[in-house]
């Protein structure tokens, strides 16, 4: 980390982008000012990859006195952009814990300015209208070994090109009938420099400018200029933009931007995660193909999905800090993200009891009508800390798989004749197994040891297993949605076939349990309330929950069950 003296003190780890910013400040570049930006295209929801960019850009601005990070929507493509996406992106950035203050911008704010620049370039003979078909333009562009042909439009006078551009703007030409191109170098080995397209015609309504325009700037033309117009000092972007850099500079030369006021582009490696796809187009396919319930499906790597799943902004920020920022592409193990999540939830979630697949237990020697109101701490490691009352009575539910009629040797939980401890309550022993006509276990008749109240038997005998439970009469019913990884292979996109990645969807990524029982303290829990169900994992109340109809999402299991599967597979 740089030891820049006035930089705000915090615990964020350093990274090479931060180091470059610090060096620029020391040199007094941009008068010591630091302006970054996060420039999403509003054509989908933000995902965890975007979070890396948000944490980096907003993080840098936060660490510098007077630092600024703009939220700029790159809304140059009217056909794919929607207000819904703009609103969701704003909500997600805020939720992650960042604030753009007054610095909310849209590339469409600059349509007028960009048009002025373009007109000036045409007047200077630096841009021209190409009214050939897209196909012709492509065919005459050449390739790495062969220079492209010069377009006929290049030979027109500026006045002629200006008139044609005006007709494009007025809507007199159809979509695709003409484009505005900059006069680059058709022989350049950098194919991007071969007369790059600046404007295309799209008779489409724009979410902000309505029908005011039917020509729209290309991303490459709008992006660098937008940074420049906003006074961005450090334009931080992902590696695939390295080869756009010369073009961005060249455009800035054309519009006469002084060297000292130009943004410096810094590229970093985008986030890739195992078992996850992070391409917005692929995420769109998942949503529109109904492979998931929506953008905020808790299995999606979108911030909206992760929020609904029970991720916290703190966990995501901690993860982004931990993975760091580099200039080499790599794939991060998703278990690192899950680890950050467990670590955060472990520190914040109260421990409560829920039974997901209930089986009834009747304590035949427990007095009918008697109820123990057990004072149970929310954090077992702090027995004197905050607590709630958990009722215990004659009829209980325990987890069906905590019982086995014919247990193998090392099964220490409940079985006929065996003893177990019920958390915070007492020791019980199974006397009888009741079944229905089909042979399914319907009820366990047990006795409790009155001398074991609290869970410790008076005679000091060892009890190996402690089970969670709820009181049948007092428990609230709940639907529980058990979520798991959406893909069952590490690299879902590795296949050759176009739709092959969809065959890697995990068919067990969602299991719905309709008859779960939760302790009564959770009765009025509202959406977003996060808890640990003892022995089961972390869960959060889903927004689908209604008064009297609880719905819980499993955020994550207590342990990494996938690691066990992988280890077993190898052994
Ligand atoms: P996708 O490839 O998923 O469609 P994108 O780059 O087209 O993503 P944008 O809306 O343009 O999506 O992204 C906004 C910003 O977020 C860009 O600066 C981009 O570099 C950054 N970004 C996008 N995906 C990632 C990622 N996986 N890791 C880090 N940064 C990312
Ligand atoms: Mg993009």
């Amino acid at each position: 980390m740089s030891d820049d003296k006035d930089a705000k003190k915090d615990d964020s780890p350093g990274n090479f982008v931060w180091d470059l910013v610090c060096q620029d400040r020391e040199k007094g570049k941009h008068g010591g000012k630091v302006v970054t930006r996060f420039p999403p295209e509003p054509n989908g929801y933000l995902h965890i990859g975007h979070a890396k960019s948000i944490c980096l850009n907003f993080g840098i601005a936060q660490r510098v006195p007077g630092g600024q990070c703009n939220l700029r929507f790159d809304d140059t493509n009217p056909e794919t952009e929607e207000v819904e996406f703009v609103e969701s992106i704003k909500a997600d950035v805020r939720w992650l814990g960042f604030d753009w203050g007054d610095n909310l911008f849209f590339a469409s704010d600059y349509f007028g300015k960009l048009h002025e620049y373009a007109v000036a370039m045409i007047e200077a003979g630096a841009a021209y209208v190409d009214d050939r078909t897209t196909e012709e333009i492509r065919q005459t562009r050449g390739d790495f070994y062969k220079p492209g042909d010069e377009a006929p439009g290049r030979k027109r006078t500026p006045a002629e090109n200006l008139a044609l551009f005006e007709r494009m703007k007025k809507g007199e030409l159809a979509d695709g009938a003409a484009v505005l191109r900059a006069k680059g170098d058709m022989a350049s080995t950098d194919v991007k420099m071969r007369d790059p397209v600046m404007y295309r015609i799209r008779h489409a309504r724009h979410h902000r400018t309505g029908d005011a325009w039917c020509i729209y700037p290309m991303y490459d033309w709008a992006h660098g200029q937008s940074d420049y117009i906003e006074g961005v000092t450090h334009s931080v972007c992902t590696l695939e933009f390295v080869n756009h850099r010369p073009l961005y500079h060249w455009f800035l030369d054309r519009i006469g931007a002084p060297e000292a006021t130009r943004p410096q582009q810094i590229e970093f490696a985008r986030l890739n995660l195992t078992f996850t796809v992070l391409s917005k187009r692929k995420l769109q396919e998942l949503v529109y193909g109904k492979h998931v319930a929506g953008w905020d499906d808790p299995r999606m790597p979108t911030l909206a999905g992760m929020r609904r799943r029970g991720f916290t902004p703190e966990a995501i920020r901690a993860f982004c800090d931990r993975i760091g920022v580099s200039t080499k592409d790599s794939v991060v193990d998703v278990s690192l993200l899950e680890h950050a999540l467990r670590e955060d939830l472990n520190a914040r979630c109260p421990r409560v009891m829920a039974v997901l697949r209930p089986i009834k237990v009747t304590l035949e020697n427990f007095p009918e009508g008697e109820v123990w109101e057990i004072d149970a701490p929310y954090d077992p490691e702090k027995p004197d800390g905050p607590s709630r009352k958990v009722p215990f009575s004659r009829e209980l539910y325990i987890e069906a798989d905590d019982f086995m009629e014919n247990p193998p040797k090392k099964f220490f939980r409940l079985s006929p004749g065996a003893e177990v401890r019920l958390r915070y309550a007492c020791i019980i022993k199974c006397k009888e197994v009741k079944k229905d006509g089909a042979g399914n276990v319907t009820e366990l008749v047990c006795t409790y040891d009155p001398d074991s109240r609290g869970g410790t038997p008076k005679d000091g005998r060892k009890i190996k297993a402690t089970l969670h439970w709820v009181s049948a009469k007092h428990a609230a019913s709940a639907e529980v949605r058990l979520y798991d990884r959406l893909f069952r292979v590490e690299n879902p996109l590795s296949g050759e076939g176009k739709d092959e990645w969809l065959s890697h969807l995990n068919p067990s990524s969602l299991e719905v349990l309709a008859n779960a029982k939760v302790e009564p303290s959770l009765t009025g829990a509202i959406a977003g309330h996060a808890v640990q169900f003892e022995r089961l994992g972390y869960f959060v109340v889903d927004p689908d929950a209604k008064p009297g109809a609880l719905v819980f999402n499993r955020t994550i299991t207590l342990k990494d069950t996938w690691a066990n599967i992988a280890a077993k597979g190898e052994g």
Side-chain angles (χ1 to χ4, degrees):
M1 195 192 288
S2 156
D3 53 8
D4 188 348
K5 283 192 190 59
D6 16 293
K8 283 181 198 162
K9 282 216 165 57
D10 60 32
D11 302 329
S12 321
N15 58 61
F16 84 95
V17 182
W18 172 242
D19 292 342
L20 288 174
V21 168
C22 291
Q23 285 165 23
D24 284 348
R25 293 186 66 227
E26 276 155 26
K27 282 187 260 170
K29 210 173 155 190
H30 300 286
K33 245 179 49 178
V34 173
V35 181
T36 57
R37 85 285 180 269
F38 173 64
E41 190 182 340
N43 60 350
Y45 279 58
L46 296 182
H47 54 60
I48 178 76
H50 292 115
K52 176 177 179 178
S53 175
I54 294 168
C55 289
L56 179 59
N57 281 295
F58 280 93
I60 286 172
Q62 277 179 351
R63 293 167 79 174
V64 175
Q68 172 184 330
C69 182
N70 301 348
L71 174 60
R72 180 179 73 244
F73 288 95
D74 258 319
D75 57 349
T76 53
N77 188 356
E79 280 136 332
T80 57
E81 289 153 8
E82 289 175 32
V83 178
E84 177 198 348
F85 298 137
V86 170
E87 291 311 314
S88 77
I89 289 170
K90 288 202 274 190
D92 287 346
V93 173
R94 263 193 220 109
W95 175 74
L96 256 192
F98 297 103
D99 182 6
W100 53 87
D102 297 331
N103 306 301
L104 174 65
F105 304 113
F106 292 81
S108 55
D109 294 342
Y110 315 134
F111 282 176
K113 191 85 202 162
L114 289 168
H115 178 257
E116 276 174 34
Y117 287 148
V119 166
M121 278 176 66
I122 300 172
E123 283 169 348
Y128 64 92
V129 172
D130 193 341
D131 53 1
R132 295 174 302 164
T133 63
T134 319
E135 192 47 37
E136 253 179 296
I137 293 177
R138 190 170 35 238
Q139 277 170 5
T140 54
R141 190 171 284 146
D143 54 35
F144 183 75
Y145 303 100
K146 199 174 106 210
D149 304 333
E150 306 232 319
R154 268 180 164 258
K155 300 198 182 71
R156 287 195 202 102
T157 63
E160 285 168 327
N161 275 315
L162 213 49
L164 268 174
F165 188 50
E166 186 59 17
R167 289 188 59 206
M168 281 172 66
K169 177 171 177 277
K170 277 193 176 147
E172 291 174 19
L173 303 180
D175 286 6
V179 291
L180 184 74
R181 297 176 75 177
K183 257 187 214 171
D185 175 3
M186 290 307 288
S188 174
T189 49
D190 180 355
V191 179
K192 282 196 181 306
M193 299 303 300
R194 294 186 184 174
D195 292 10
V197 174
M198 297 166 65
Y199 275 95
R200 71 224 140 105
I201 304 171
R202 286 284 176 282
H203 290 270
R205 220 186 146 74
H206 186 277
H207 74 117
R208 298 194 84 233
T209 58
D211 296 317
W213 298 88
C214 64
I215 52 170
Y216 289 96
M218 300 299 289
Y219 181 84
D220 275 343
W221 164 239
H223 189 76
Q225 272 48 248
S226 299
D227 278 350
Y228 169 70
I229 292 167
E230 280 174 20
V232 167
T233 59
H234 298 84
S235 173
V236 183
C237 60
T238 40
L239 288 176
E240 68 271 23
F241 289 97
V242 170
N243 58 4
H244 295 233
R245 213 203 267 206
L247 176 58
Y248 292 172
H249 274 286
W250 186 84
F251 273 138
L252 289 170
D253 289 340
R254 294 287 133 340
I255 68 168
E259 193 71 45
T261 59
R262 293 183 187 191
Q264 180 189 349
Q265 179 167 309
I266 306 170
E267 304 90 2
F268 71 100
R270 62 171 48 226
L271 172 68
N272 301 299
L273 268 184
T274 58
F275 294 94
T276 311
V277 302
L278 288 182
S279 138
K280 245 189 290 176
R281 240 198 22 245
K282 292 279 190 295
L283 296 182
Q284 260 169 18
E285 275 184 68
L286 288 175
V287 174
Y288 300 147
K290 301 218 180 332
H291 302 285
V292 292
W295 286 102
D296 68 343
D297 185 300
R299 291 166 293 182
M300 288 284 274
T302 53
L303 297 182
M306 294 170 79
R307 174 165 63 237
R308 191 163 180 176
R309 175 79 170 254
F311 274 81
T312 59
E314 291 84 356
I316 295 174
R317 293 200 305 262
F319 167 74
C320 289
D321 271 356
R322 213 162 293 167
I323 56 173
V325 183
S326 91
T327 53
K328 272 211 191 73
D329 269 319
S330 65
V331 184
V332 174
D333 194 326
V334 74
S335 63
L336 208 66
L337 175 62
E338 294 167 346
H339 176 75
L341 178 61
R342 285 193 184 95
E343 218 171 47
D344 183 67
L345 295 177
N346 178 45
R348 71 172 67 237
C349 286
R351 272 60 169 169
V352 292
M353 292 196 285
V355 174
L356 302 188
R357 298 173 180 87
I359 180 168
K360 193 163 170 191
V361 168
T362 303
L363 304 178
E364 60 178 10
N365 60 339
F366 196 92
E368 213 69 71
E370 183 169 324
V371 179
W372 295 351
E373 289 288 350
I374 302 173
D375 194 47
Y378 276 123
D379 179 353
E381 283 173 20
K382 294 190 191 115
D384 300 323
S387 65
R388 82 288 188 194
K389 296 275 187 245
V390 188
F392 182 85
S393 67
R394 183 181 160 91
E395 292 185 347
L396 310 165
Y397 292 116
I398 64 165
E399 210 68 65
D401 63 9
D402 277 336
F403 171 79
M404 277 186 96
E405 194 172 8
N406 301 300
K409 247 206 168 115
K410 293 230 160 128
F411 188 82
F412 298 116
R413 291 169 279 164
L414 200 59
S415 57
E419 278 193 313
V420 295
R421 176 185 297 105
L422 294 184
R423 181 76 151 153
Y424 303 121
C426 61
I427 310 294
I428 65 165
K429 184 175 194 162
C430 180
K431 292 284 188 196
E432 186 195 339
V433 183
K434 288 193 178 169
K435 295 183 185 174
D436 62 14
N440 301 310
V441 177
T442 54
E443 186 183 340
L444 304 173
V445 181
C446 300
T447 55
Y448 88 107
D449 172 2
D451 282 339
S452 66
R453 202 163 162 175
T456 316
K458 260 208 184 119
D459 62 6
R461 68 187 186 279
K462 283 255 177 313
I463 305 291
K464 278 212 159 135
T466 301
L467 308 187
H468 60 274
W469 53 272
V470 294
S471 165
K473 192 166 64 191
H474 303 92
S477 296
E479 175 181 318
V480 173
R481 300 172 182 170
L482 299 179
Y483 289 104
D484 202 348
R485 291 179 185 168
L486 185 55
F487 291 95
R488 55 183 164 177
V489 299
E490 212 170 281
N491 181 1
L493 299 180
S494 63
E496 296 286 311
K498 182 175 151 286
D499 290 328
E500 200 176 324
W501 65 285
L502 290 170
S503 71
H504 300 308
L505 283 166
N506 175 7
S508 330
S509 61
L510 170 59
E511 184 184 356
V512 179
L513 303 174
N515 300 309
K517 302 286 179 184
V518 302
E519 61 167 72
S521 74
L522 291 167
T523 302
I526 55 167
H529 184 67
V531 291
Q532 183 193 105
F533 288 159
E534 290 209 40
R535 299 176 64 222
L536 298 173
Y538 296 98
F539 292 76
V540 66
V541 179
D542 188 83
D544 281 350
K546 301 278 171 310
L550 283 167
V551 180
F552 284 91
N553 296 330
R554 180 171 70 196
T555 306
I556 190 133
T557 52
L558 292 177
K559 297 221 172 68
D560 185 350
T561 48
W562 287 76
N564 296 341
I565 292 167
K568 271 186 205 144
E570 280 165 21

Coordinates of all heavy atoms in Angstrom, one line a residue, residues 29 122 153 163 294 349 498 547:
K29 N -0.7 15.2 -10.9 CA -1.5 15.0 -12.1 C -3.0 15.4 -11.8 O -3.5 15.1 -10.7 CB -1.4 13.6 -12.6 CG -1.5 13.5 -14.1 CD -1.2 12.1 -14.5 CE -1.9 11.8 -15.8 NZ -1.8 10.4 -16.2
I122 N -16.5 16.1 -39.1 CA -16.9 16.0 -40.5 C -16.4 17.3 -41.2 O -15.8 17.3 -42.3 CB -18.4 15.9 -40.7 CG1 -18.9 14.6 -40.1 CG2 -18.8 15.9 -42.2 CD1 -20.5 14.5 -40.0
G153 N -17.3 7.2 -49.6 CA -17.6 8.4 -48.8 C -16.4 9.3 -48.4 O -16.6 10.5 -48.2
A163 N -24.3 17.1 -45.1 CA -25.6 17.1 -45.6 C -26.2 15.7 -45.4 O -27.3 15.5 -44.9 CB -25.7 17.5 -47.0
G294 N -36.2 -15.6 -12.2 CA -36.1 -14.2 -12.6 C -34.7 -13.7 -12.3 O -33.8 -14.5 -11.8
C349 N -25.5 -13.9 12.8 CA -26.8 -14.5 12.8 C -27.2 -15.2 14.2 O -26.4 -15.9 14.7 CB -26.9 -15.6 11.8 SG -27.1 -15.0 10.1
K498 N -23.3 -24.7 -28.7 CA -23.8 -23.4 -28.3 C -24.6 -23.4 -27.0 O -24.5 -22.5 -26.2 CB -24.7 -22.9 -29.5 CG -25.3 -21.5 -29.3 CD -26.1 -21.1 -30.6 CE -27.2 -20.2 -30.2 NZ -28.4 -20.8 -29.6
P547 N -47.7 -12.5 6.2 CA -48.1 -12.7 7.6 C -48.8 -14.1 7.7 O -49.7 -14.4 7.0 CB -49.0 -11.6 7.9 CG -48.7 -10.5 7.0 CD -48.2 -11.2 5.7

